Amino acid sequence: MIYYGGINSMKNEKSSKHIVVLIIGIILFLALMMVQSRISAMNAQAAASGTASNTGIMGSLNGVIAQIQVLISSFLVIYCKKGGYIASTILNLINAAYTLVFAVIIAGSTAAVPGIVVPIISVVTITIIYVYSLKISKANGELMETNRTLTETNRVMREKDEKLTYLAYYDVLTGLANRQLFIDHMDEMIEEDKNTPFSVIFFDIDDFKKINDSYGHNT
């Protein structure tokens, strides 16, 4: 009960960490999306006014932000599994839709088209990562199950081996050591130190055969 309680506690703690990481990732992604939106608006204004001297720098900055968003999406999928995949997919689709509506359609800026392509490619990328992570998780689960099976098999075999050893060296009725164990101990003593003398005491119970004949050998 304590063991399973510990496992449940670890699972709850891990789940809490995933939720925290997921929330932080979503906030960072949305913040970067707002920065991208601001940069796109500045580029559109600069292009409209004819002062597009910094558009190259802004475009490069947008590209860097897009790459960071891809990294955030990938990390969420790897760390948070299904929840991270769902959140990342939704965020990237929102990003693509936002760019399409506000930057391309409303503002009429064709320079923002890559801002649509990158989130879509990001969705494809994280989908591939998620699918392969599922396969890896499944393989790990199968390996763990195989390991548990082998561990249980080894335990059963060890118990059977101990039982066979006991049956080979001890009397089932009395639980006393039998003749074979005595002989083995004698051989060990002789092999360990052949120069050390030792004695063997033998005694017999008179007329014990009558008890066996009267009451049986299992008494």
Side-chain angles (χ1 to χ4, degrees), residues 164-184:
L164 288 174
T165 301
Y166 180 83
L167 292 175
Y169 291 112
Y170 292 89
D171 180 70
V172 178
L173 179 64
T174 62
L176 298 176
N178 60 16
R179 178 180 178 181
Q180 186 60 48
L181 183 61
F182 171 75
I183 293 173
D184 288 349

Side-chain angles (χ1 to χ4, degrees), residues 37-138:
S37 175
R38 180 60 180 166
I39 292 173
S40 297
M42 291 172 62
N43 283 338
Q45 291 175 0
S49 62
T51 58
S53 58
N54 293 328
T55 53
I57 298 175
M58 293 298 182
S60 299
L61 184 58
N62 254 340
V64 172
I65 292 174
Q67 295 302 317
I68 295 174
Q69 288 175 325
V70 172
L71 290 175
I72 292 174
S73 300
S74 301
F75 176 77
L76 290 179
V77 173
I78 294 171
Y79 189 81
C80 300
K81 307 299 181 185
K82 185 177 181 180
Y85 172 70
I86 294 173
S88 297
T89 301
I90 293 173
L91 288 171
N92 280 283
L93 292 177
I94 290 174
N95 193 13
Y98 182 86
T99 304
L100 176 64
V101 173
F102 291 96
V104 178
I105 297 177
I106 296 177
S109 175
T110 56
V113 171
I116 303 172
V117 176
V118 172
I120 294 175
I121 294 176
S122 181
V123 170
V124 174
T125 302
I126 62 177
T127 300
I128 294 172
I129 293 173
Y130 180 65
V131 170
Y132 275 94
S133 68
L134 288 179
K135 291 182 179 180
I136 293 172
S137 297
K138 182 180 179 181

